[in-house]
Amino acid sequence: MNHTFSLFERLQSPVWVFDIQHQKILWANPASLPLWEAASLEELTARDLGLDMTQAVRAQLEVYQQRFVAGEAIKTWWSFTPKGREKKALCHFSGIPLPDGRLAMLVEVLDEESTLRRELAFSGCTNLALLFSADGALLSANTAFEQAFGSQLSDLASFVGDTDLAERWLAETRDQQTVQLKKLCWTGRSHCWFRIHGQWLQDKHQLLLSLININQEKEQLSKARYNAEHDFMTGLLNRRGLTKAITEYQHSCQPYSLFFLDLDGFKLVNDTYGHAIGDKLLRAVAIRILDRVKNRGLLARFGGDEFIIQVEHRNIDSPARFAKSIIAALNKPFHLKEVGDLSVGCSIGIASFPEDAQEIDTLIIQADMAMHRAKQRGRNRSHHFSPDMADALYRKMTLRHHLTLALETNNFDLYYQPIVDLASHQLKGFEALIRWYDEELGQVSPAEFIPLAEETGQIVPLGHWILKTACQQLAAWSEKYQRRFIISVNLSRAQLQASLAPAIEALLLQYDIQPSQLALELTESTMLQDYDEAKQCLDALAGLGLELYLDDFGTGYSSLSQLQDLPISTVKLDQSFVQGEHKSSQAIIEATRAICEKLELKVVAEGVETLKQLQYLQQCQFDYCQGYYLGRPMPPAELEASNFRLLNSIPASPRSSVDVLAS
Ligand code: C2E
Ligand code: CA
Ligand code: CA
């Protein structure tokens, strides 16, 4: 016999051959002796292991044997109690033919794994076994089970916690099906999660359950689930947790509203005081909102400074009033030890179930849109979702998609609108204005798609295309007509980068253009946003010899003196004043002219549509003028065809201001 198994002799890990039928060890390698507390192989093979073997284990071994016959091997934790000492090992069980033709069990202890995993998953992975009679009474539990859970368990129904289920298991396994699942069961002492493999023992009419304790795994899972559904910083639900909670709750069909809340000016707090203070403030905000919501609904943090509240309508008098109370609560200052009192505003968007939408995800999107509308309307207020917002969003998404396609091929045109010198009555040059015609969407206004391109950063490559095209045009007209026009090009904030001046310099060189022929139009917000960076860039551009125009003057908040340090040569008064019938518009026109004179800036009047407007500007001694009255933005070919003639001629300068005002 020894000879047959001598192959395993030198293995470092314990290996033995077990006679299942007679419950005896037939052979074991020397490494097994300590595990079995055996003095010698002779002593070990002489033992009758059937003596203290539970019925459950016996049944389990028989099942194993059947599986060995089928060529299977089994890897599991197994417990032994040699000489009363409890030992556990991860074993590999397989069938091994004996010289007499029977099948014995070869057991190999996977030592290297046992040392590692013992710590981690010890009790959890030990083989536990329960044997039940055909009517579900517990016949036997193996030692490992009893050590872990005692011996209070009486029957299958109490184990699975359900009489019907117990009967179903018995019936199903009797029909040769195996039961295989993870389940929370009652052990007679406590509840425990098991991975269960149930099998009917045909000859004995018994049900054998092999169990693996997976409690730890389950606990980790529920912790992981908790983390996945909660916001780490505030302990509130996160987006996923809220969605789940509401989805589960929606069966109740009670009307409710979602409030999408975004703090106003939170970024400023973060930038000024740092993220630690920002986080503190967010936690304080969470507590204050929670205090308003109480147990009337759910509160979740959506990341950043965004929160969502869900409240049933029966718990509040009206969504708008509830939103108002939240805003009022947040408007009260927050006292933070490190920085003193801080106040924040918030904008809230509201969407209601079921009027606005049935799906939670849609409601969230709608409330988000409504929140943005609240911000546009001046912040620190709430706004209820309305379908036109969805249309606007849809339009925006469509535009964004089409714009990306158009950018791939630069499928745009540059139009040119005349700018006229009012002193000489000569055409001074043009403002370059981009045009986009899309097959599906038709003509799209730059006022609509430029902000989109700014949002996505696409304005940078697009802006370069515009500059290049304008330069090309200047070069073409210089050559063809020997005229040196000035073309002014609009710039967006994102284009104000250190690389802009060198890029423009290269274009000027490439197309042989005088720097004085190119002007750049920027709004005051473009110039003032990240002032230091912008100023450096503007200085570099002016250093090249380009003129900088301040666009849309009068619509911003800053006074001209704030812009004094910037290298601006010309101010473009916004068309709303030029077209304004009101006395105040006239006052602004005159004041602008006066200030510009003092600061030695030139002034362009934009949006001149009528002779009357033109005459008034002449009288106010504006330097330049631009508008439909003199010429619309046109493609180059059209301008050339008209031989650059203006739409209307400019009247001789009025003799005195009194004349015009009286007319
Ligand atoms: P803006 O820079 O203030 O351009 C003047 C706008 O007023 C142009 O609108 C022009 O067509 C329009 N306009 C000119 N004269 C009259 C008039 O007499 N009456 C009226 N009612 N409107 C007049 P447009 O071309 O639709 O451009 C709108 C805005 O889009 C521009 O305002 C500018 O901010 C932006 N934009 C246009 N082209 C470009 C571009 O190439 N680059 C960048 N970054 N922005 C551009
Ligand atoms: Ca402009
Ligand atoms: Ca303008």
Side-chain angles (χ1 to χ4, degrees), residues 431 490 521 551 572 606:
E431 176 176 4
N490 292 284
E521 299 194 5
D551 205 354
K572 293 187 82 171
E606 282 194 292

Side-chain angles (χ1 to χ4, degrees), residues 24 60 76 79-80 99 104 112 168 224 227 273 311 314 430 521 532 538 572 609 623 656:
K24 268 179 180 293
Q60 208 168 16
T76 184
S79 62
F80 319 85
E112 73 290 358
R168 209 159 62 231
N227 287 339
Y273 301 109
V311 191
R314 57 180 171 179
F430 306 91
E521 299 194 5
D532 292 338
L538 295 178
K572 293 187 82 171
E609 292 182 347
D623 302 282
S656 80

Side-chain angles (χ1 to χ4, degrees), residues 40-241:
S40 67
L41 185 60
E42 289 67 37
E43 189 258 314
L44 179 59
T45 50
R47 289 186 199 171
D48 181 356
L49 297 174
L51 278 181
D52 50 17
M53 190 177 280
T54 59
Q55 222 182 325
V57 167
R58 210 171 293 217
Q60 208 168 16
L61 287 174
E62 278 168 31
V63 169
Y64 280 9
Q65 183 159 39
Q66 287 161 19
R67 291 171 67 179
F68 300 150
V69 172
E72 283 178 55
I74 295 154
K75 188 167 142 188
T76 184
W77 287 85
W78 193 264
S79 62
F80 319 85
T81 38
K83 305 213 164 132
R85 251 176 242 175
E86 213 211 323
K87 310 226 169 145
K88 292 177 185 184
L90 182 69
C91 300
H92 185 271
F93 300 97
S94 55
I96 183 165
L98 297 177
D100 61 13
R102 290 182 305 125
L103 197 69
M105 178 167 81
L106 177 70
V107 185
E108 302 161 66
V109 171
L110 307 172
D111 236 347
E112 73 290 358
E113 257 186 286
S114 69
T115 39
L116 232 182
R117 290 188 46 178
R118 190 163 298 179
E119 313 298 326
L120 296 171
F122 196 53
S123 62
C125 289
T126 315
N127 64 303
L128 302 165
L130 294 173
L131 189 67
F132 296 95
S133 66
D135 59 3
L138 181 69
L139 297 173
S140 163
N142 71 346
T143 326
F145 187 95
E146 289 196 345
Q147 272 167 353
F149 306 109
S151 48
Q152 308 295 312
L153 190 68
S154 59
D155 54 68
L156 184 62
S158 51
F159 181 67
V160 300
D162 182 341
T163 329
D164 288 350
L165 184 62
E167 268 169 22
R168 209 159 62 231
W169 281 21
L170 288 166
E172 280 172 10
T173 50
R174 213 178 286 138
D175 286 349
Q176 291 301 305
Q177 298 168 30
T178 52
V179 168
Q180 210 147 4
L181 78 172
K182 293 177 184 175
K183 192 172 171 8
L184 184 68
C185 297
W186 176 248
T187 62
R189 188 192 275 169
S190 60
H191 278 104
C192 183
W193 277 94
F194 293 109
R195 184 178 307 133
I196 303 172
H197 177 97
Q199 187 171 0
W200 189 255
L201 311 179
Q202 284 304 344
D203 46 343
K204 298 203 176 78
H205 292 274
Q206 291 165 348
L207 170 67
L208 175 71
L209 296 186
S210 303
L211 313 171
I212 290 173
N213 178 343
I214 52 166
N215 241 8
Q216 246 175 356
E217 187 184 308
K218 276 285 166 188
E219 264 163 31
Q220 266 158 10
L221 205 76
S222 60
K223 206 165 167 192
R225 182 174 301 157
Y226 180 89
N227 287 339
E229 290 171 5
H230 287 78
D231 167 45
F232 174 70
M233 202 178 74
T234 56
L236 297 175
L237 291 171
N238 60 16
R239 183 189 188 107
R240 187 164 154 180

Side-chain angles (χ1 to χ4, degrees), residues 533-587:
E533 190 194 38
K535 181 169 178 349
Q536 252 182 26
C537 190
L538 295 178
D539 286 340
L541 292 170
L544 291 178
L546 306 185
E547 279 195 40
L548 300 182
Y549 294 1
L550 172 60
D551 205 354
D552 299 344
F553 178 69
T555 55
Y557 299 102
S558 43
S559 66
L560 262 184
S561 54
Q562 266 180 286
L563 303 162
Q564 237 177 344
D565 286 340
L566 296 173
I568 301 164
S569 72
T570 307
V571 167
K572 293 187 82 171
L573 180 64
D574 191 69
Q575 55 187 38
S576 57
F577 305 108
V578 175
Q579 293 158 1
E581 297 287 308
H582 202 267
K583 275 263 176 289
S584 64
S585 294
Q586 292 193 350

Side-chain angles (χ1 to χ4, degrees), residues 416 467-487 507-514 517-518 640:
Y416 299 88
L467 281 165
K468 189 181 156 99
T469 309
C471 288
Q472 254 172 343
Q473 193 57 65
L474 276 172
W477 279 337
S478 297
E479 199 187 302
K480 201 164 166 189
Y481 299 99
Q482 310 300 320
R483 291 180 72 168
R484 289 199 181 269
F485 294 121
I486 297 173
I487 291 184
L507 286 174
L508 296 178
L509 263 171
Q510 184 185 349
Y511 292 104
D512 189 23
I513 292 164
Q514 299 296 315
Q517 282 183 270
L518 192 64
E640 289 179 20

